[in-house]
Amino acid sequence: MNVLLGLGGSDESVKTLRRTIERTTDVGDDLTVVIVDKPESKRSQDEMYQQAREALDEAGLEDRPVEKLEGDPGSALVDYAEQGEYDQLVIGGGTLSPMGKIQLGPITEFVLLNAPTTVKLVR
């Protein structure tokens, strides 16, 4: 399977990166990582790029591409997914409300509604 992983700079993104790399190595998927630009995030785009590159190298996936995307995070991610032949788009996101229902942020919601492929949401 050809998987596209979209990351921001949150703790959720770090967890999503780890889980996706584990799954990729377990099942032999092809993985492409893209880092969106979210200035309000805990980590900068450059920090997330470095963290993704190190995690891939440690897992023996040093040949997998990691790219930075500019512009609106949701639109940039959907546009990138449309240009490639990906079987799945993986993103982190969603929190639980006090009633136990998932709450989606605006970027996650946009990607879920507009992505040209199956979206896997890692929580």
Side-chain angles (χ1 to χ4, degrees), residues 17 35 44-57 66 68:
L17 173 65
I35 317 293
S44 71
Q45 193 177 30
D46 290 335
E47 289 173 297
M48 277 307 298
Y49 177 90
Q50 196 62 26
Q51 195 160 6
R53 188 78 271 154
E54 289 171 6
L56 288 166
D57 291 349
V66 179
K68 297 179 198 176

Side-chain angles (χ1 to χ4, degrees), residues 12-31:
E12 287 175 348
S13 289
V14 174
K15 181 173 73 172
T16 302
L17 173 65
R18 287 188 197 124
R19 285 187 173 177
T20 305
I21 287 174
E22 286 175 18
R23 172 146 172 74
T24 297
T25 55
D26 287 347
V27 299
D29 289 342
D30 287 328
L31 178 64

Side-chain angles (χ1 to χ4, degrees), residues 3 27 30 32 88 91 93 108 119:
V3 177
V27 299
D30 287 328
T32 300
Q88 187 176 70
I91 57 174
T108 303
V119 178

